[in-house]
Amino acid sequence: MDKKIQVIREDVQQAKNEAKKYIQFPVAEVSYLLQQIEIKDKALELYGDETNYTTEILVPGEEYSSLLILDDKGRVARAAIKGEDIL
């Protein structure tokens, strides 16, 4: 898991324990979390799009895969988990 998200998570827990410590999240942290959600959403959309799982038969007995995901082998997912936007 992304270290910055873990720190934010710990801050939220501490804020819950000390209710008066935080009234609202700092804008930078919220912006960061929204950016991370967008990265992960793009990766999920890639893997969730059924058209990325189609195969076409060009020659009888031979399949051509137009499957971006087979070529990807989880690269987009691994990057998204790290918080990197590669799409």
Side-chain angles (χ1 to χ4, degrees):
M1 173 178 294
D2 183 286
K3 290 179 183 179
K4 190 167 184 178
I5 291 176
Q6 183 60 35
V7 169
I8 294 168
R9 215 178 249 161
E10 291 168 4
D11 287 347
V12 169
Q13 186 57 46
Q14 185 176 1
K16 287 179 182 177
N17 295 339
E18 304 171 18
K20 60 186 175 185
K21 184 174 180 181
Y22 291 109
I23 303 287
Q24 64 186 29
F25 288 104
V27 173
E29 288 181 339
V30 172
S31 295
Y32 177 78
L33 290 173
L34 292 173
Q35 176 190 26
Q36 291 300 304
I37 290 168
E38 183 178 330
I39 290 169
K40 286 155 181 53
D41 281 350
K42 285 196 293 186
L44 286 171
E45 287 172 11
L46 172 74
Y47 294 111
D49 184 351
E50 291 180 15
T51 62
N52 289 331
Y53 292 90
T54 61
T55 55
E56 300 170 5
I57 299 175
L58 299 177
V59 178
E62 291 183 30
E63 283 189 359
Y64 166 75
S65 176
S66 61
L67 177 60
L68 173 64
I69 297 184
L70 281 178
D71 295 333
D72 168 70
K73 297 182 180 173
R75 183 178 62 92
V76 171
R78 286 189 300 279
I81 290 168
K82 292 178 185 175
E84 299 169 357
D85 189 2
I86 63 170
L87 290 177

PDB file of all heavy atoms in Angstrom, residues 24 26 35 40 51 55 66 78 83-84:
ATOM      1  N   GLN A  24     -11.170  19.439   9.791  1.00  0.00           N
ATOM      2  CA  GLN A  24     -11.306  18.995   8.402  1.00  0.00           C
ATOM      3  C   GLN A  24      -9.939  18.545   7.891  1.00  0.00           C
ATOM      4  O   GLN A  24      -8.914  18.877   8.470  1.00  0.00           O
ATOM      5  CB  GLN A  24     -11.854  20.105   7.515  1.00  0.00           C
ATOM      6  CG  GLN A  24     -10.922  21.302   7.416  1.00  0.00           C
ATOM      7  CD  GLN A  24     -11.551  22.432   6.647  1.00  0.00           C
ATOM      8  OE1 GLN A  24     -12.764  22.571   6.646  1.00  0.00           O
ATOM      9  NE2 GLN A  24     -10.742  23.220   5.992  1.00  0.00           N
ATOM     10  N   PRO A  26      -6.721  18.563   5.550  1.00  0.00           N
ATOM     11  CA  PRO A  26      -6.024  19.558   4.734  1.00  0.00           C
ATOM     12  C   PRO A  26      -6.295  19.307   3.257  1.00  0.00           C
ATOM     13  O   PRO A  26      -6.418  18.170   2.813  1.00  0.00           O
ATOM     14  CB  PRO A  26      -4.544  19.326   5.068  1.00  0.00           C
ATOM     15  CG  PRO A  26      -4.550  18.640   6.380  1.00  0.00           C
ATOM     16  CD  PRO A  26      -5.817  17.814   6.404  1.00  0.00           C
ATOM     17  N   GLN A  35      -6.520  11.982  -6.361  1.00  0.00           N
ATOM     18  CA  GLN A  35      -5.621  11.588  -7.448  1.00  0.00           C
ATOM     19  C   GLN A  35      -5.398  10.075  -7.422  1.00  0.00           C
ATOM     20  O   GLN A  35      -5.431   9.416  -8.465  1.00  0.00           O
ATOM     21  CB  GLN A  35      -4.287  12.314  -7.315  1.00  0.00           C
ATOM     22  CG  GLN A  35      -3.273  11.896  -8.347  1.00  0.00           C
ATOM     23  CD  GLN A  35      -1.890  12.459  -8.047  1.00  0.00           C
ATOM     24  OE1 GLN A  35      -1.554  12.739  -6.898  1.00  0.00           O
ATOM     25  NE2 GLN A  35      -1.103  12.630  -9.082  1.00  0.00           N
ATOM     26  N   LYS A  40      -6.475   4.507  -9.639  1.00  0.00           N
ATOM     27  CA  LYS A  40      -6.995   3.161  -9.427  1.00  0.00           C
ATOM     28  C   LYS A  40      -8.267   2.925 -10.247  1.00  0.00           C
ATOM     29  O   LYS A  40      -8.482   1.833 -10.777  1.00  0.00           O
ATOM     30  CB  LYS A  40      -7.211   2.915  -7.945  1.00  0.00           C
ATOM     31  CG  LYS A  40      -5.860   2.711  -7.237  1.00  0.00           C
ATOM     32  CD  LYS A  40      -5.896   3.046  -5.776  1.00  0.00           C
ATOM     33  CE  LYS A  40      -4.581   2.870  -5.071  1.00  0.00           C
ATOM     34  NZ  LYS A  40      -3.422   3.525  -5.629  1.00  0.00           N
ATOM     35  N   THR A  51     -14.371  -5.434 -23.697  1.00  0.00           N
ATOM     36  CA  THR A  51     -13.796  -5.439 -25.042  1.00  0.00           C
ATOM     37  C   THR A  51     -12.298  -5.714 -25.009  1.00  0.00           C
ATOM     38  O   THR A  51     -11.724  -6.089 -26.023  1.00  0.00           O
ATOM     39  CB  THR A  51     -14.058  -4.111 -25.784  1.00  0.00           C
ATOM     40  OG1 THR A  51     -13.431  -3.037 -25.079  1.00  0.00           O
ATOM     41  CG2 THR A  51     -15.545  -3.846 -25.926  1.00  0.00           C
ATOM     42  N   THR A  55     -11.195 -12.018 -28.398  1.00  0.00           N
ATOM     43  CA  THR A  55     -10.231 -12.640 -29.301  1.00  0.00           C
ATOM     44  C   THR A  55     -10.874 -12.697 -30.671  1.00  0.00           C
ATOM     45  O   THR A  55     -12.094 -12.828 -30.802  1.00  0.00           O
ATOM     46  CB  THR A  55      -9.832 -14.059 -28.855  1.00  0.00           C
ATOM     47  OG1 THR A  55     -11.012 -14.834 -28.717  1.00  0.00           O
ATOM     48  CG2 THR A  55      -9.068 -14.041 -27.559  1.00  0.00           C
ATOM     49  N   SER A  66      -6.694  -9.688 -29.326  1.00  0.00           N
ATOM     50  CA  SER A  66      -6.606  -8.239 -29.273  1.00  0.00           C
ATOM     51  C   SER A  66      -6.612  -7.806 -27.815  1.00  0.00           C
ATOM     52  O   SER A  66      -6.870  -6.668 -27.496  1.00  0.00           O
ATOM     53  CB  SER A  66      -7.777  -7.607 -30.024  1.00  0.00           C
ATOM     54  OG  SER A  66      -8.992  -7.984 -29.424  1.00  0.00           O
ATOM     55  N   ARG A  78      -0.306  -3.290 -11.039  1.00  0.00           N
ATOM     56  CA  ARG A  78       0.810  -3.141 -10.095  1.00  0.00           C
ATOM     57  C   ARG A  78       1.208  -1.679  -9.943  1.00  0.00           C
ATOM     58  O   ARG A  78       1.491  -1.206  -8.837  1.00  0.00           O
ATOM     59  CB  ARG A  78       2.001  -3.986 -10.545  1.00  0.00           C
ATOM     60  CG  ARG A  78       1.798  -5.479 -10.306  1.00  0.00           C
ATOM     61  CD  ARG A  78       3.080  -6.266 -10.550  1.00  0.00           C
ATOM     62  NE  ARG A  78       3.573  -6.130 -11.924  1.00  0.00           N
ATOM     63  CZ  ARG A  78       3.112  -6.825 -12.969  1.00  0.00           C
ATOM     64  NH1 ARG A  78       2.146  -7.697 -12.805  1.00  0.00           N
ATOM     65  NH2 ARG A  78       3.632  -6.657 -14.162  1.00  0.00           N
ATOM     66  N   GLY A  83       0.421   3.589  -6.753  1.00  0.00           N
ATOM     67  CA  GLY A  83       0.008   4.981  -6.880  1.00  0.00           C
ATOM     68  C   GLY A  83       0.575   5.670  -8.104  1.00  0.00           C
ATOM     69  O   GLY A  83       0.545   6.885  -8.209  1.00  0.00           O
ATOM     70  N   GLU A  84       1.071   4.883  -9.056  1.00  0.00           N
ATOM     71  CA  GLU A  84       1.657   5.445 -10.273  1.00  0.00           C
ATOM     72  C   GLU A  84       0.621   5.437 -11.394  1.00  0.00           C
ATOM     73  O   GLU A  84      -0.084   4.443 -11.574  1.00  0.00           O
ATOM     74  CB  GLU A  84       2.869   4.618 -10.694  1.00  0.00           C
ATOM     75  CG  GLU A  84       3.972   4.596  -9.652  1.00  0.00           C
ATOM     76  CD  GLU A  84       5.054   3.569  -9.962  1.00  0.00           C
ATOM     77  OE1 GLU A  84       4.935   2.826 -10.967  1.00  0.00           O
ATOM     78  OE2 GLU A  84       6.004   3.507  -9.181  1.00  0.00           O
TER      79      GLU A  84
END
